[in-house]
Amino acid sequence: MTAPLIEIQRTRSPRPRPNTPDLGFGRYFTDHMFLMDFDPARGGWHSPRIVPYGPVAMDPAAGALHYAQTIFDGLKAFPDQNGEIRVFRLDAHLARLNESAKKLCVPQVDVALVSRAIRTLLAVDASWMPEQEGTSIYIRPIIWASEGFLGVRPAKTYTLCVILSPVGSYYASGAAPVKIWVEEKLTRAAVGGLGAAKTGANYAASLRAAEEAKARGYAQVLWLDAKEHRWLEEVGTMNLFLRIGDEVITPPLTDETLLPGITRASVLELLREWGVRVSERKVSLDEIKKASAAGQLHEVFGTGTAAVISPVGELGYAGGSIRISEMKPDSIAMRLRQAISDIHYGRVQDRHGWMTRVETLESAA
Ligand code: COI
């Protein structure tokens, strides 16, 4: 079977590039987007196309709007030292998109086609790649249930869309340590729920606690498990890592309440290569309070596509707070941040095969 052609309809009114040294996260969007529709009556996914970025028509009865049958992923493209664009762990992200799809009864996508769609879209909007240090293009694929039907069951039709956003730091504080609130009442995800899927519902569930944390002066929430409110899970939009003594710990994925982060997996791989003692194990709030009191809690940091590696400077909770010592340049978090960004920007050889090059449109043709 021949690979489907991706039609390209170019914008007639390209928009001005953001004229700011501080792009922030997710505020600006490039000139084009990718769309593709799913309809069993048309053989499944059909009509892959790149069109000018803009609003899409949606049936007000669409399942995504009512019952949150929608999934997404988030990944990044970086310029290398020759100015070519490369995507970090494209296949791993698309595999995760398909895992999220299974959990939300969304049809599987053809990874090769969506990979080509993302690379083509990046080639079309290549001139949107920002130039400042630490910036990239954030790629957001999303699939929503588009069928207009109010009964509760998986929809019959879907739309897949990919948009691109030139981004800087996720946090306004940049790489400076963030203050995190440990949420002991509200929960993000329970065992048997959707915690491991990248789906809007998990983020909707996080908003109230995050707003309350912000009102207390904290940037994000550290989630505890939904049953005992004791075990550390995730921090805001990131996976959590701690260094206690000489052990680096991250909560395990076994309960399927955490998002299986691609940066998390990359960090684990690097730490193991470096010979660091690393454990995927449960860690309780009590354990870190005790480790902190004993001077053994050396580092806390979050990992994620948007935030990359973000050191945590303070954990606040009802009744106290834990201050984590100043990040030193030789801290694990700083070494990881450097190592991962060296891979992102092609300053070191891509030994793991994590970067996928974006062909220019001429050479892809
Ligand atoms: C990520 O870091 O993986 C994200 O996609 C974060 C996003 C929800 C803001």
Side-chain angles (χ1 to χ4, degrees), residues 103-119:
K103 294 183 168 69
L104 274 290
C105 302
V106 166
Q108 296 285 290
V109 297
D110 173 357
V111 165
L113 172 59
V114 180
S115 166
R116 182 158 55 92
I118 288 175
R119 286 179 281 125

Side-chain angles (χ1 to χ4, degrees), residues 25 72-74 96 138 140 170 198 203 237 259 304-307:
F25 179 84
F72 67 94
D73 215 279
R96 187 173 68 177
Y138 183 80
R140 172 55 67 87
Y170 185 73
K198 211 153 171 68
Y203 296 82
T237 62
L259 189 78
T305 297

Side-chain angles (χ1 to χ4, degrees), residues 313-335:
E314 184 186 325
L315 290 173
Y317 52 91
S321 73
I322 300 173
R323 282 191 175 278
I324 297 105
S325 55
E326 279 299 298
M327 277 293 152
K328 309 219 171 62
D330 63 346
S331 66
I332 294 274
M334 288 300 116
R335 278 179 63 199

